[in-house]
Amino acid sequence: MTVVMRGRSTSSTGTEITHGPSAMTLKTSAPRDNGGDGNAFSPTDLCAAALGACATTIMGMFASKKGVSLEVEFEVRKDMETNPRRLGRLEVVYQLKTDCDEETFRGIVHAGQTCPVRLSLSDGVTVSEVYTRC
């Protein structure tokens, strides 16, 4: 399935992106440490947030198919590398509220660990994930 998104520059360090199917828009801005004003998500912030959102979505879909209730909260910490400037490390902590059995919990975690965004990240990005049950 192909999804089309369109973007345009709004300044020398910012963009506005429109999601074709929904017409929802979001803005990006370069971070302060890279010459921007930091007033919106940076493109690499979006990538980091996408990892948490994707894993959460896939875990929710897995739990739903199993007939299990699941609520997820996550926090992502992003560290950049220099020379070249790129994502270096993403640390994600997922808090899963569920009453499922241990086998299903392991399946939920595996689903999160194999989400499409995680599988799309290069080996040059270190990903550290913690899944806790609350």
Side-chain angles (χ1 to χ4, degrees):
M1 178 180 166
T2 301
V3 176
V4 177
M5 291 152 280
R6 290 190 166 75
R8 67 178 186 86
S9 59
T10 57
S11 70
S12 63
T13 61
T15 68
E16 181 177 89
I17 304 162
T18 303
H19 179 249
S22 69
M24 296 287 294
T25 63
L26 61 86
K27 295 182 179 192
T28 68
S29 176
R32 286 189 179 102
D33 70 345
N34 199 32
D37 59 17
N39 68 357
F41 284 97
S42 74
T44 56
D45 291 345
L46 289 177
C47 185
L51 173 60
C54 186
T56 296
T57 301
I58 298 300
M59 288 187 286
M61 293 168 65
F62 180 91
S64 180
K65 286 180 185 174
K66 294 289 185 178
V68 172
S69 68
L70 176 66
E71 295 176 27
V72 181
E73 293 184 11
F74 66 89
E75 178 177 292
V76 181
R77 292 182 178 269
K78 176 192 83 168
D79 292 316
M80 297 293 291
E81 294 288 329
T82 57
N83 201 20
R85 187 168 172 86
R86 63 178 180 80
L87 289 171
R89 181 176 178 82
L90 300 174
E91 296 179 8
V92 192
V93 176
Y94 299 95
Q95 294 181 331
L96 288 70
K97 182 178 178 183
T98 184
D99 59 358
C100 67
D101 61 38
E102 192 57 36
E103 181 181 348
T104 303
F105 184 79
R106 285 193 303 272
I108 290 169
V109 168
H110 177 59
Q113 292 170 330
T114 57
C115 78
V117 170
R118 175 69 183 93
L119 296 178
S120 298
L121 294 170
S122 78
D123 292 339
V125 180
T126 301
V127 178
S128 170
E129 299 164 302
V130 175
Y131 296 80
T132 60
R133 185 182 261 202
C134 55

